[in-house]
């Protein structure tokens, strides 16, 4: 999926995560994470974001994540939403998402 603009999903509320996704010139994935639990769960949060982007075939993005204690399912949902908004896609392939969402 091609990212064409900056998009945001999530809130700054407790148990949520706010993700901002924006295109960059390189093909990599850069994640800037701010979380009060980064020392305990930072690696897992980055892995969930990276795995979700990988399933969506997204590269060449910068992700700014402000975590307030979100669970993995919330991180996946916010990443999916931000990617679809950034790619200006409003149709979700739920069968494909269900196939890798377990």
């Amino acid at each position: 999926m091609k990212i064409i603009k900056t998009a945001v999903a999530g809130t700054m509320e407790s148990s949520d995560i706010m993700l901002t996704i924006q295109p960059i010139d390189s093909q990599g994935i850069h994640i800037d994470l701010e979380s009060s639990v980064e020392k305990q769960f930072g690696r897992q949060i980055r892995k969930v974001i990276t795995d979700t982007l990988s399933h969506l075939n997204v590269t060449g993005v910068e992700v700014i994540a402000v975590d307030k204690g979100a669970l993995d399912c919330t991180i996946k949902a916010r990443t999916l939403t931000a990617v679809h908004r950034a790619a200006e896609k409003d149709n979700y392939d739920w069968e494909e998402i269900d196939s890798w969402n377990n």
Side-chain angles (χ1 to χ4, degrees):
M1 197 174 302
K2 182 165 177 55
I3 303 301
I4 55 178
K5 68 176 189 178
T6 300
V8 179
T11 69
M12 300 289 284
E13 299 293 321
S14 179
S15 301
D16 203 351
I17 185 168
M18 179 177 280
L19 284 176
T20 304
I21 293 182
Q22 55 193 14
I24 57 175
D25 291 335
S26 70
Q27 287 301 306
I29 295 172
H30 179 261
I31 299 173
D32 181 16
L33 174 64
E34 178 186 322
S35 173
S36 59
V37 294
E38 185 170 355
K39 288 185 179 180
Q40 296 94 343
F41 301 108
R43 184 181 303 170
Q44 176 63 17
I45 294 168
R46 286 183 173 85
K47 181 180 182 322
V48 171
I49 293 170
T50 302
D51 288 351
T52 305
L53 292 174
S54 175
H55 285 297
L56 296 169
N57 295 319
V58 172
T59 58
V61 293
E62 178 176 30
V63 179
I64 301 168
V66 181
D67 174 59
K68 299 294 182 182
L71 298 174
D72 287 358
C73 58
T74 303
I75 298 167
K76 282 183 191 178
R78 298 307 188 202
T79 305
L80 276 167
T81 302
V83 165
H84 279 75
R85 287 177 179 168
E88 294 187 337
K89 301 271 185 185
D90 57 358
N91 56 337
Y92 291 75
D93 184 354
W94 292 114
E95 289 184 20
E96 173 66 20
I97 292 168
D98 280 345
S99 72
W100 51 262
N101 198 21
N102 295 313

